[in-house]
Coordinates of all heavy atoms in Angstrom, one line a residue:
M1 N 2.4 -17.5 -16.1 CA 1.7 -16.4 -15.5 C 1.3 -16.7 -14.1 O 0.9 -17.8 -13.7 CB 0.5 -16.3 -16.4 CG -0.4 -15.1 -15.9 SD -1.6 -14.6 -17.2 CE -2.6 -13.6 -16.2
A2 N 1.3 -15.8 -13.1 CA 1.0 -16.0 -11.8 C -0.5 -16.2 -11.7 O -1.4 -15.6 -12.3 CB 1.3 -14.8 -11.0
R3 N -1.0 -17.1 -10.8 CA -2.4 -17.4 -10.6 C -3.2 -16.3 -9.9 O -2.5 -15.4 -9.2 CB -2.6 -18.7 -9.9 CG -2.5 -18.6 -8.4 CD -2.8 -19.9 -7.6 NE -2.5 -19.8 -6.2 CZ -3.5 -19.3 -5.3 NH1 -4.6 -19.0 -5.8 NH2 -3.2 -19.2 -4.1
V4 N -4.4 -16.1 -10.2 CA -5.3 -15.0 -9.7 C -5.7 -15.4 -8.3 O -6.2 -16.5 -8.1 CB -6.4 -14.7 -10.7 CG1 -7.3 -13.7 -10.1 CG2 -6.0 -14.3 -11.9
V5 N -5.5 -14.5 -7.4 CA -5.9 -14.7 -5.9 C -7.4 -14.5 -5.8 O -8.0 -13.5 -6.3 CB -5.2 -13.8 -5.1 CG1 -5.6 -13.9 -3.5 CG2 -3.6 -14.0 -5.1
D6 N -8.1 -15.5 -5.3 CA -9.5 -15.3 -5.1 C -10.0 -15.4 -3.6 O -11.2 -15.5 -3.2 CB -10.3 -16.3 -5.9 CG -9.9 -17.8 -5.6 OD1 -9.2 -18.0 -4.7 OD2 -10.5 -18.6 -6.4
N7 N -9.0 -15.3 -2.6 CA -9.2 -15.5 -1.2 C -8.9 -14.1 -0.6 O -7.8 -13.6 -0.8 CB -8.2 -16.6 -0.6 CG -8.4 -16.6 0.7 OD1 -8.2 -15.6 1.6 ND2 -8.8 -17.8 1.3
P8 N -9.9 -13.4 0.0 CA -9.7 -12.2 0.5 C -8.5 -11.9 1.5 O -7.8 -11.0 1.5 CB -11.0 -11.8 1.2 CG -12.1 -12.7 0.6 CD -11.3 -13.9 0.3
Q9 N -8.3 -13.0 2.3 CA -7.2 -12.9 3.3 C -5.8 -13.0 2.6 O -4.9 -12.2 2.8 CB -7.2 -14.1 4.3 CG -8.4 -14.0 5.5 CD -9.8 -14.5 4.9 OE1 -9.8 -15.1 3.9 NE2 -10.7 -14.1 5.6
I10 N -5.7 -13.8 1.5 CA -4.5 -13.9 0.8 C -4.4 -12.6 -0.1 O -3.2 -12.0 -0.2 CB -4.5 -15.0 -0.2 CG1 -4.5 -16.5 0.7 CG2 -3.3 -15.1 -1.1 CD1 -4.7 -17.7 -0.1
A11 N -5.4 -12.1 -0.5 CA -5.3 -10.8 -1.3 C -4.9 -9.7 -0.4 O -4.0 -8.9 -0.8 CB -6.7 -10.4 -1.8
F12 N -5.3 -9.7 0.9 CA -4.9 -8.6 1.8 C -3.4 -8.8 2.1 O -2.7 -7.8 2.2 CB -5.7 -8.6 3.0 CG -5.4 -7.5 4.0 CD1 -5.4 -6.3 3.5 CD2 -5.1 -7.7 5.4 CE1 -5.0 -5.2 4.5 CE2 -4.8 -6.7 6.2 CZ -4.8 -5.5 5.8
R13 N -2.9 -10.0 2.3 CA -1.5 -10.3 2.5 C -0.7 -9.8 1.4 O 0.4 -9.3 1.5 CB -1.2 -11.7 2.8 CG -1.7 -12.1 4.3 CD -1.0 -13.4 4.7 NE -1.1 -14.6 3.7 CZ -1.9 -15.6 4.0 NH1 -2.6 -15.7 5.2 NH2 -2.1 -16.6 3.2
L14 N -1.2 -10.1 0.1 CA -0.5 -9.6 -1.1 C -0.4 -8.2 -1.1 O 0.7 -7.5 -1.4 CB -1.2 -10.2 -2.4 CG -0.7 -9.6 -3.7 CD1 0.8 -10.0 -3.8 CD2 -1.5 -10.0 -4.9
A15 N -1.5 -7.4 -0.8 CA -1.6 -6.0 -0.8 C -0.4 -5.5 0.2 O 0.3 -4.5 -0.1 CB -2.9 -5.5 -0.3
R16 N -0.4 -6.1 1.5 CA 0.6 -5.7 2.4 C 2.0 -6.0 2.0 O 2.9 -5.0 2.2 CB 0.3 -6.3 3.8 CG -1.0 -6.0 4.4 CD -1.4 -6.8 5.6 NE -0.3 -6.9 6.7 CZ -0.2 -6.1 7.8 NH1 -1.1 -5.1 7.9 NH2 0.8 -6.1 8.5
A17 N 2.2 -6.9 1.4 CA 3.5 -7.2 0.8 C 3.9 -6.2 -0.2 O 5.1 -5.6 -0.2 CB 3.6 -8.7 0.2
I18 N 3.1 -5.9 -1.1 CA 3.3 -4.9 -2.2 C 3.7 -3.5 -1.6 O 4.5 -2.8 -1.9 CB 2.2 -4.8 -3.2 CG1 2.0 -6.0 -4.0 CG2 2.3 -3.5 -4.1 CD1 0.8 -6.3 -5.0
V19 N 2.7 -3.1 -0.6 CA 3.0 -1.8 0.1 C 4.3 -1.8 0.9 O 5.0 -0.8 0.9 CB 1.7 -1.4 1.0 CG1 2.1 -0.2 1.7 CG2 0.6 -1.2 0.0
S20 N 4.6 -2.9 1.5 CA 5.7 -3.0 2.3 C 7.0 -2.9 1.4 O 7.9 -2.2 1.7 CB 5.9 -4.5 2.9 OG 6.9 -4.5 3.8
D21 N 7.0 -3.4 0.1 CA 8.1 -3.2 -0.8 C 8.2 -1.7 -1.2 O 9.3 -1.2 -1.3 CB 7.8 -4.1 -2.0 CG 8.3 -5.4 -1.8 OD1 8.9 -5.7 -0.8 OD2 8.0 -6.3 -2.8
V22 N 7.0 -1.1 -1.5 CA 7.1 0.4 -1.8 C 7.7 1.1 -0.7 O 8.5 2.0 -0.9 CB 5.7 0.7 -2.2 CG1 5.6 2.4 -2.3 CG2 5.1 0.2 -3.4
A23 N 7.2 0.8 0.7 CA 7.8 1.6 1.7 C 9.4 1.3 2.0 O 10.1 2.2 2.1 CB 7.1 1.1 3.0
L24 N 9.7 0.1 1.7 CA 11.1 -0.2 1.9 C 12.0 0.3 0.9 O 13.1 0.9 1.2 CB 11.3 -1.9 1.7 CG 12.7 -2.4 1.9 CD1 13.2 -2.2 3.4 CD2 12.8 -3.9 1.5
Y25 N 11.6 0.3 -0.4 CA 12.4 1.0 -1.4 C 12.3 2.5 -1.5 O 13.1 3.1 -2.3 CB 12.2 0.3 -2.8 CG 12.6 -1.1 -2.8 CD1 11.6 -2.2 -2.9 CD2 13.9 -1.4 -2.7 CE1 12.0 -3.6 -2.8 CE2 14.3 -2.8 -2.7 CZ 13.3 -3.9 -2.7 OH 13.8 -5.1 -2.8
N26 N 11.5 3.1 -0.7 CA 11.3 4.5 -0.8 C 11.3 5.1 0.6 O 10.4 6.0 0.8 CB 10.0 4.8 -1.5 CG 10.0 4.4 -3.0 OD1 10.6 5.1 -3.8 ND2 9.3 3.2 -3.2
Q27 N 12.3 4.7 1.6 CA 12.0 5.0 2.9 C 12.3 6.6 3.1 O 11.7 7.2 3.9 CB 13.2 4.3 3.7 CG 13.0 2.8 3.8 CD 14.1 2.1 4.6 OE1 15.0 2.7 5.0 NE2 13.9 0.8 4.6
S28 N 13.1 7.2 2.2 CA 13.3 8.7 2.5 C 12.0 9.4 2.0 O 11.7 10.5 2.7 CB 14.5 9.1 1.7 OG 14.4 9.0 0.2
K29 N 11.4 8.9 0.9 CA 10.1 9.5 0.5 C 9.0 9.3 1.6 O 8.4 10.3 1.9 CB 9.6 9.1 -0.8 CG 10.3 9.6 -2.0 CD 9.6 9.0 -3.2 CE 10.2 9.5 -4.5 NZ 9.6 9.0 -5.8
V30 N 8.9 8.2 2.2 CA 8.0 8.0 3.3 C 8.2 9.0 4.4 O 7.4 9.5 5.0 CB 8.1 6.5 3.8 CG1 7.2 6.2 4.9 CG2 7.6 5.6 2.7
K31 N 9.5 9.0 4.9 CA 9.8 9.9 6.0 C 9.5 11.4 5.7 O 8.8 12.1 6.4 CB 11.3 9.8 6.2 CG 11.8 10.6 7.5 CD 13.3 10.4 7.8 CE 13.7 11.1 9.1 NZ 13.6 12.5 9.0
E32 N 9.9 11.8 4.4 CA 9.7 13.2 4.0 C 8.1 13.4 3.9 O 7.5 14.4 4.3 CB 10.3 13.5 2.7 CG 10.0 14.9 2.2 CD 10.6 15.2 0.9 OE1 11.5 14.5 0.4 OE2 10.1 16.0 0.2
G33 N 7.5 12.4 3.3 CA 6.0 12.6 3.2 C 5.2 12.7 4.4 O 4.2 13.3 4.6
I34 N 5.7 11.9 5.4 CA 4.9 11.8 6.8 C 5.4 13.2 7.4 O 4.3 13.8 8.1 CB 5.5 10.7 7.7 CG1 4.9 9.3 7.0 CG2 4.9 10.8 9.0 CD1 3.5 9.1 7.1
E35 N 6.5 13.6 7.4 CA 6.8 14.9 8.0 C 6.1 16.1 7.5 O 5.8 16.9 8.2 CB 8.4 15.1 7.9 CG 9.2 14.2 8.7 CD 10.8 14.4 8.4 OE1 11.1 14.9 7.4 OE2 11.5 13.8 9.2
N36 N 5.9 16.0 6.2 CA 5.4 17.2 5.6 C 3.8 17.0 5.1 O 3.3 17.8 4.4 CB 6.1 17.6 4.3 CG 7.5 18.0 4.6 OD1 7.8 18.7 5.5 ND2 8.5 17.5 4.0
D37 N 3.3 15.9 5.5 CA 1.9 15.6 5.1 C 1.6 15.6 3.7 O 0.7 16.0 3.1 CB 0.8 16.5 5.8 CG -0.6 15.9 5.7 OD1 -0.8 14.8 5.3 OD2 -1.5 16.8 6.0
T38 N 2.7 15.0 2.9 CA 2.6 14.9 1.5 C 3.0 13.5 0.9 O 3.4 13.3 -0.2 CB 3.7 15.8 0.8 OG1 5.1 15.5 1.4 CG2 3.3 17.4 1.1
I39 N 2.7 12.5 1.8 CA 3.1 11.1 1.4 C 2.4 10.7 0.2 O 3.0 10.0 -0.6 CB 2.9 10.2 2.6 CG1 3.6 8.9 2.3 CG2 1.5 10.0 3.0 CD1 3.9 7.9 3.5
F40 N 1.2 11.0 0.0 CA 0.4 10.4 -1.2 C 0.9 11.2 -2.5 O 0.8 10.6 -3.4 CB -1.1 10.5 -1.0 CG -1.5 9.6 0.2 CD1 -1.9 10.1 1.4 CD2 -1.6 8.1 -0.1 CE1 -2.1 9.2 2.4 CE2 -1.9 7.3 0.9 CZ -2.3 7.9 2.1
D41 N 1.2 12.4 -2.3 CA 1.9 13.1 -3.5 C 3.1 12.7 -3.9 O 3.5 12.3 -5.1 CB 1.9 14.6 -3.2 CG 0.6 15.3 -3.0 OD1 -0.3 14.9 -3.6 OD2 0.6 16.3 -2.2
L42 N 4.0 12.4 -2.9 CA 5.5 12.0 -3.1 C 5.4 10.5 -3.7 O 6.2 10.1 -4.5 CB 6.3 12.0 -1.8 CG 6.7 13.4 -1.4 CD1 7.4 13.3 -0.2 CD2 7.5 14.1 -2.4
L43 N 4.5 9.7 -3.1 CA 4.6 8.2 -3.6 C 3.4 7.9 -4.4 O 3.2 6.7 -4.7 CB 4.5 7.4 -2.3 CG 5.8 7.4 -1.4 CD1 5.6 6.8 -0.1 CD2 6.9 6.6 -2.3
N44 N 2.8 8.8 -5.1 CA 1.8 8.7 -6.0 C 2.1 7.6 -7.2 O 1.3 6.6 -7.3 CB 1.2 9.9 -6.7 CG 0.0 9.8 -7.6 OD1 -1.0 9.2 -7.1 ND2 0.1 10.2 -8.7
E45 N 3.1 7.8 -7.8 CA 3.5 7.0 -8.9 C 3.7 5.5 -8.4 O 3.3 4.5 -9.0 CB 4.8 7.5 -9.6 CG 5.1 6.8 -10.9 CD 6.3 7.5 -11.4 OE1 6.3 8.7 -11.8 OE2 7.3 6.7 -11.9
E46 N 4.6 5.3 -7.4 CA 4.9 4.0 -6.7 C 3.7 3.3 -6.3 O 3.5 2.1 -6.5 CB 5.9 4.2 -5.6 CG 7.2 4.7 -6.1 CD 7.4 6.2 -6.2 OE1 6.4 6.9 -6.2 OE2 8.5 6.6 -6.3
L47 N 2.8 4.0 -5.6 CA 1.6 3.5 -5.1 C 0.6 3.0 -6.1 O 0.0 2.0 -6.0 CB 0.9 4.3 -4.1 CG 1.6 4.4 -2.6 CD1 1.0 5.5 -1.9 CD2 1.7 3.2 -1.9
Q48 N 0.5 3.9 -7.2 CA -0.3 3.5 -8.4 C 0.2 2.3 -9.1 O -0.6 1.4 -9.4 CB -0.4 4.7 -9.3 CG -1.5 4.5 -10.4 CD -2.8 4.3 -9.9 OE1 -3.3 4.8 -8.9 NE2 -3.5 3.3 -10.5
E49 N 1.5 2.2 -9.2 CA 2.1 1.0 -9.9 C 1.8 -0.2 -9.0 O 1.5 -1.4 -9.5 CB 3.5 1.3 -10.0 CG 4.4 0.1 -10.6 CD 5.8 0.3 -10.8 OE1 6.3 1.6 -11.2 OE2 6.7 -0.6 -10.6
G50 N 1.9 -0.1 -7.7 CA 1.6 -1.2 -6.8 C 0.3 -1.6 -6.8 O -0.2 -2.9 -6.9
R51 N -0.7 -0.5 -6.9 CA -2.1 -0.9 -7.0 C -2.4 -1.6 -8.3 O -3.2 -2.6 -8.4 CB -3.0 0.3 -6.8 CG -4.5 0.2 -6.9 CD -5.3 1.4 -6.8 NE -4.9 2.3 -5.7 CZ -5.5 2.1 -4.5 NH1 -6.4 1.2 -4.3 NH2 -5.1 2.9 -3.5
E52 N -1.9 -1.1 -9.4 CA -2.1 -1.9 -10.6 C -1.6 -3.3 -10.6 O -2.4 -4.2 -11.1 CB -1.4 -1.1 -11.7 CG -2.1 0.2 -12.1 CD -1.3 1.1 -12.9 OE1 -0.4 0.8 -13.6 OE2 -1.8 2.3 -13.2
H53 N -0.5 -3.6 -10.0 CA 0.0 -4.9 -9.9 C -1.0 -5.8 -9.1 O -1.3 -6.9 -9.4 CB 1.5 -4.9 -9.3 CG 1.9 -6.3 -9.1 ND1 2.3 -7.1 -10.0 CD2 2.4 -6.9 -7.8 CE1 2.8 -8.3 -9.5 NE2 2.8 -8.1 -8.1
F54 N -1.3 -5.1 -7.9 CA -2.3 -5.9 -7.1 C -3.5 -6.2 -7.8 O -4.0 -7.4 -7.7 CB -2.7 -5.0 -5.8 CG -3.7 -5.5 -5.0 CD1 -3.5 -6.4 -4.0 CD2 -4.9 -5.0 -5.0 CE1 -4.5 -7.0 -3.2 CE2 -6.0 -5.4 -4.1 CZ -5.7 -6.4 -3.2
L55 N -4.1 -5.3 -8.6 CA -5.4 -5.6 -9.2 C -5.2 -6.6 -10.4 O -6.2 -7.4 -10.7 CB -6.0 -4.3 -9.8 CG -6.4 -3.2 -8.8 CD1 -6.8 -1.9 -9.4 CD2 -7.4 -3.7 -7.9
T56 N -4.0 -6.7 -11.0 CA -3.8 -7.8 -12.0 C -3.7 -9.1 -11.3 O -3.9 -10.1 -12.0 CB -2.5 -7.5 -12.7 OG1 -1.4 -7.7 -12.0 CG2 -2.6 -6.2 -13.5
R57 N -3.4 -9.2 -10.0 CA -3.2 -10.5 -9.4 C -4.5 -10.9 -8.5 O -4.4 -12.0 -8.1 CB -2.0 -10.4 -8.4 CG -0.7 -10.1 -9.0 CD 0.0 -11.4 -9.6 NE -0.1 -12.6 -8.7 CZ 0.7 -12.9 -7.7 NH1 1.7 -12.0 -7.4 NH2 0.5 -14.0 -7.1
V58 N -5.4 -10.1 -8.3 CA -6.5 -10.4 -7.4 C -7.8 -10.3 -8.3 O -8.1 -9.5 -9.0 CB -6.5 -9.4 -6.3 CG1 -7.9 -9.6 -5.5 CG2 -5.3 -9.3 -5.5
S59 N -8.6 -11.3 -8.0 CA -9.8 -11.4 -8.8 C -10.8 -10.4 -8.6 O -11.0 -10.0 -7.4 CB -10.6 -12.8 -8.2 OG -12.0 -12.8 -8.7
P60 N -11.4 -9.8 -9.6 CA -12.4 -8.8 -9.4 C -13.7 -9.3 -8.7 O -14.4 -8.4 -8.2 CB -12.9 -8.4 -10.9 CG -12.2 -9.3 -11.8 CD -11.3 -10.3 -10.9
E61 N -13.6 -10.5 -8.4 CA -14.8 -11.1 -7.7 C -14.7 -10.8 -6.2 O -15.7 -10.9 -5.5 CB -14.9 -12.6 -7.9 CG -15.1 -13.0 -9.3 CD -16.4 -12.7 -10.0 OE1 -17.4 -12.8 -9.4 OE2 -16.3 -12.2 -11.1
I62 N -13.6 -10.5 -5.6 CA -13.4 -10.1 -4.3 C -14.0 -8.9 -3.9 O -13.8 -7.8 -4.6 CB -12.0 -10.1 -3.9 CG1 -11.3 -11.5 -4.0 CG2 -11.7 -9.7 -2.4 CD1 -9.9 -11.8 -3.6
D63 N -14.9 -8.9 -2.9 CA -15.6 -7.6 -2.6 C -14.5 -6.6 -2.0 O -13.6 -7.1 -1.3 CB -16.6 -8.0 -1.4 CG -17.9 -8.7 -2.0 OD1 -18.1 -8.7 -3.1 OD2 -18.5 -9.3 -1.1
N64 N -14.8 -5.4 -2.3 CA -14.0 -4.3 -1.8 C -12.4 -4.4 -2.0 O -11.6 -4.2 -1.1 CB -14.2 -4.1 -0.3 CG -15.6 -3.8 0.0 OD1 -16.3 -3.2 -0.7 ND2 -16.2 -4.4 1.1
R65 N -11.9 -5.0 -3.1 CA -10.6 -5.3 -3.3 C -9.8 -4.0 -3.4 O -8.6 -4.0 -2.9 CB -10.3 -6.2 -4.5 CG -10.5 -5.5 -5.9 CD -10.2 -6.5 -7.1 NE -10.4 -5.8 -8.3 CZ -9.8 -6.1 -9.3 NH1 -9.0 -7.1 -9.4 NH2 -10.0 -5.3 -10.4
D66 N -10.4 -2.9 -3.8 CA -9.6 -1.7 -3.8 C -9.4 -1.2 -2.3 O -8.3 -0.7 -1.9 CB -10.4 -0.4 -4.5 CG -10.2 -0.5 -6.0 OD1 -9.2 -0.8 -6.4 OD2 -11.2 -0.2 -6.7
Q67 N -10.4 -1.4 -1.4 CA -10.2 -1.1 0.0 C -9.1 -1.9 0.6 O -8.5 -1.5 1.5 CB -11.5 -1.1 0.7 CG -12.5 0.0 0.4 CD -13.3 -0.2 -1.0 OE1 -13.2 -1.2 -1.6 NE2 -14.1 0.8 -1.4
L68 N -9.0 -3.1 0.2 CA -7.9 -3.9 0.8 C -6.6 -3.4 0.6 O -5.7 -3.3 1.4 CB -8.0 -5.4 0.1 CG -9.0 -6.2 0.4 CD1 -9.0 -7.6 -0.4 CD2 -9.0 -6.6 1.9
F69 N -6.2 -2.8 -0.7 CA -5.1 -2.1 -0.9 C -4.9 -0.8 -0.1 O -3.8 -0.5 0.5 CB -4.8 -1.7 -2.5 CG -3.6 -1.4 -2.9 CD1 -2.5 -2.4 -3.0 CD2 -3.1 -0.1 -2.9 CE1 -1.2 -2.1 -3.3 CE2 -1.8 0.2 -3.2 CZ -0.9 -0.7 -3.5
D70 N -6.1 -0.1 0.0 CA -5.9 1.2 0.9 C -5.7 0.8 2.4 O -4.9 1.6 3.0 CB -7.3 1.9 0.8 CG -7.4 2.5 -0.7 OD1 -6.5 2.6 -1.5 OD2 -8.7 2.8 -1.1
R71 N -6.3 -0.3 2.8 CA -6.1 -0.6 4.2 C -4.5 -1.0 4.4 O -4.0 -0.7 5.4 CB -7.1 -1.8 4.5 CG -7.7 -1.6 5.9 CD -8.7 -2.8 6.1 NE -8.1 -3.8 6.7 CZ -8.3 -5.2 6.5 NH1 -9.4 -5.4 5.7 NH2 -7.7 -6.1 7.0
A72 N -4.0 -1.7 3.4 CA -2.6 -2.1 3.5 C -1.8 -0.9 3.5 O -0.8 -0.9 4.4 CB -2.2 -3.0 2.3
I73 N -2.1 0.2 2.8 CA -1.2 1.5 2.8 C -1.3 2.0 4.3 O -0.3 2.4 4.8 CB -1.8 2.5 1.8 CG1 -1.5 2.0 0.4 CG2 -1.2 3.9 2.1 CD1 -2.1 3.0 -0.7
V74 N -2.5 2.0 4.8 CA -2.6 2.5 6.3 C -1.9 1.7 7.2 O -1.0 2.2 8.0 CB -4.0 2.7 6.6 CG1 -4.2 3.1 8.1 CG2 -4.7 3.7 5.8
D75 N -2.1 0.3 7.1 CA -1.4 -0.5 8.1 C 0.1 -0.5 8.0 O 0.7 -0.6 9.0 CB -1.8 -2.0 7.8 CG -3.2 -2.3 8.4 OD1 -3.9 -1.3 9.0 OD2 -3.8 -3.4 8.3
I76 N 0.7 -0.5 6.8 CA 2.0 -0.8 6.6 C 2.8 0.6 6.5 O 3.8 0.7 7.2 CB 2.3 -1.5 5.3 CG1 1.7 -2.8 5.3 CG2 3.8 -1.5 4.8 CD1 2.2 -3.9 6.3
M77 N 2.3 1.5 5.8 CA 3.0 2.8 5.7 C 2.8 3.9 6.6 O 3.7 4.5 7.1 CB 2.8 3.3 4.2 CG 3.8 4.2 3.6 SD 3.6 4.5 2.0 CE 4.1 3.0 1.2
I78 N 1.5 4.1 6.9 CA 1.1 5.1 7.9 C 1.3 4.8 9.4 O 2.0 5.5 10.0 CB -0.4 5.6 7.6 CG1 -0.6 5.9 6.1 CG2 -0.6 6.8 8.5 CD1 0.3 6.9 5.5
K79 N 0.7 3.6 9.7 CA 0.9 3.3 11.1 C 2.3 3.1 11.6 O 2.7 3.4 12.6 CB 0.0 2.0 11.4 CG -1.5 2.4 11.6 CD -2.2 1.0 11.8 CE -3.6 1.3 11.9 NZ -4.5 0.0 12.1
Q80 N 3.1 2.5 10.8 CA 4.5 2.1 11.1 C 5.4 3.3 11.1 O 6.4 3.5 11.6 CB 5.1 1.1 10.2 CG 4.4 -0.4 10.5 CD 4.9 -1.4 9.7 OE1 6.0 -1.3 9.0 NE2 4.3 -2.6 9.7
A81 N 4.8 4.5 10.5 CA 5.6 5.8 10.5 C 5.1 6.6 11.8 O 5.6 7.8 11.8 CB 5.3 6.6 9.2
G82 N 4.5 6.1 12.8 CA 4.0 6.9 13.8 C 5.2 7.5 14.6 O 4.9 8.6 15.3
K83 N 6.3 7.1 14.5 CA 7.4 7.6 15.3 C 8.0 8.9 14.6 O 8.8 9.6 15.2 CB 8.5 6.6 15.6 CG 9.1 6.1 14.3 CD 10.0 4.8 14.6 CE 10.6 4.2 13.4 NZ 9.6 3.7 12.4
I84 N 7.7 9.1 13.4 CA 8.2 10.3 12.7 C 7.5 11.6 13.0 O 6.1 11.4 13.1 CB 8.1 10.0 11.1 CG1 8.9 8.8 10.7 CG2 8.5 11.3 10.4 CD1 8.7 8.3 9.3
K85 N 8.0 12.6 13.4 CA 7.4 13.8 13.8 C 6.5 14.3 12.6 O 7.2 14.5 11.5 CB 8.4 14.8 14.3 CG 7.9 16.0 14.8 CD 8.9 16.9 15.5 CE 8.2 18.1 15.9 NZ 8.7 19.2 16.5
S86 N 5.3 14.6 12.9 CA 4.5 15.0 11.8 C 3.4 15.9 12.3 O 2.8 15.6 13.4 CB 3.9 13.8 11.0 OG 3.0 14.3 10.1
P87 N 2.8 16.9 11.5 CA 1.7 17.7 12.0 C 0.4 16.9 11.7 O -0.6 17.2 12.3 CB 1.7 18.8 10.9 CG 2.4 18.3 9.6 CD 3.4 17.4 10.3
I88 N 0.5 15.7 11.2 CA -0.8 14.9 10.9 C -1.1 14.2 12.3 O -2.1 13.6 12.3 CB -0.6 14.1 9.7 CG1 0.4 13.0 9.7 CG2 -0.7 14.9 8.6 CD1 0.5 12.1 8.6
W89 N -0.3 14.2 13.2 CA -0.6 13.6 14.5 C 0.0 14.2 15.7 O 0.7 15.0 15.7 CB -0.4 12.0 14.6 CG 1.0 11.5 14.2 CD1 2.2 11.7 14.5 CD2 1.0 10.7 13.0 NE1 3.1 11.1 13.7 CE2 2.4 10.4 12.8 CE3 0.2 10.1 12.0 CZ2 2.9 9.6 11.7 CZ3 0.6 9.4 11.0 CH2 2.0 9.2 10.8

């Protein structure tokens, strides 16, 4: 069994890695979701699965661990999609 992460920086890196995998394996959904402002609807299942995996690997003792995963979504999936034409920017 994988060890539980109790360091916030490592937890954030783990969140970024999980979100990066979701984005990599769902590139067409990311593009469509950014273009149509439906990214969270289109990737709901994948992001929820990623979040559940993250939460099983990260200690509940880490402050704001849910926000770490949300921040990773913005950093990895949203900011990097800035070149995609979208009504959201």
Side-chain angles (χ1 to χ4, degrees):
M1 183 170 167
R3 74 177 182 88
V4 174
V5 174
D6 57 7
N7 176 304
Q9 286 85 13
I10 294 172
F12 186 53
R13 282 202 306 254
L14 175 62
R16 289 173 58 93
I18 292 169
V19 172
S20 187
D21 281 352
V22 170
L24 179 66
Y25 292 111
N26 296 281
Q27 291 178 7
S28 60
K29 282 186 179 181
V30 171
K31 183 177 186 301
E32 178 185 343
I34 293 291
E35 288 172 344
N36 300 312
D37 193 14
T38 57
I39 191 160
F40 294 105
D41 294 329
L42 286 176
L43 288 169
N44 183 52
E45 188 176 311
E46 292 87 346
L47 289 172
Q48 188 56 41
E49 184 179 314
R51 182 182 304 275
E52 288 169 10
H53 176 65
F54 173 76
L55 293 175
T56 65
R57 296 280 316 278
V58 175
S59 170
E61 305 293 315
I62 292 181
D63 291 336
N64 304 320
R65 71 180 182 154
D66 279 327
Q67 286 81 8
L68 289 176
F69 193 82
D70 292 340
R71 223 174 88 211
I73 292 171
V74 171
D75 283 359
I76 299 296
M77 204 171 284
I78 308 300
K79 284 182 181 175
Q80 292 185 8
K83 63 189 174 296
I84 298 171
K85 187 174 176 177
S86 173
I88 58 179
W89 42 69

